[in-house]
Amino acid sequence: SLIGIVANDAIVMVETMNRHLSQGLEVAQAAARGAADRLRPIVSTSVTTIVGLVPLAFSNPMWQPLCYAVIFGLVASTILSLLIVPCLYLLFTRTERNKEDVPSLVEAYES
């Protein structure tokens, strides 16, 4: 469940960033605006999942370790995904303007 929530958050955030990029924004602006647009839904999804697991963690000692693992994993992964996904988007997204600025491997090899 933890991996599913985090992967879904990242996919939706990248999709939002791609939409902003296709509307003509620069890569950095698309990453910043996409992360800002998805901040509230990502945090609310994480908070509702955590709030739903807290009663289970306190009611039955058998489920307590699993609930704690998911709760603390969700807190850590939410914070990291809000920081890491935009950074990776900046590093790995190339636009036509970026491709013109970066010389190709053939040109670099020939010179």
Side-chain angles (χ1 to χ4, degrees), residues 1-110:
S1 66
L2 177 61
I3 292 171
I5 292 169
V6 174
N8 185 43
D9 290 344
I11 290 168
V12 172
M13 188 185 301
V14 170
E15 184 179 330
T16 304
M17 292 173 184
N18 284 338
R19 188 178 67 234
H20 287 306
L21 190 63
S22 69
Q23 292 173 351
L25 292 177
E26 296 290 327
V27 176
Q29 292 172 340
R33 188 169 295 174
D37 288 349
R38 301 308 304 170
L39 175 69
R40 185 179 298 165
I42 288 172
V43 170
S44 64
T45 300
S46 298
V47 168
T48 56
T49 305
I50 291 168
V51 169
L53 286 172
V54 168
L56 181 62
F58 291 129
S59 68
N60 192 343
M62 183 179 85
W63 291 102
Q64 202 170 27
L66 178 66
C67 291
Y68 285 157
V70 172
I71 288 170
F72 290 114
L74 197 54
V75 168
S77 64
T78 299
I79 292 168
L80 287 175
S81 68
L82 288 171
L83 297 172
I84 299 288
V85 171
C87 293
L88 291 176
Y89 189 82
L90 283 171
L91 288 174
F92 294 121
T93 302
R94 292 221 174 146
T95 60
E96 293 301 320
R97 291 173 288 210
N98 290 346
K99 288 179 184 175
E100 293 171 1
D101 295 339
V102 179
S104 70
L105 292 175
V106 174
E107 293 172 1
Y109 179 73
E110 290 175 353

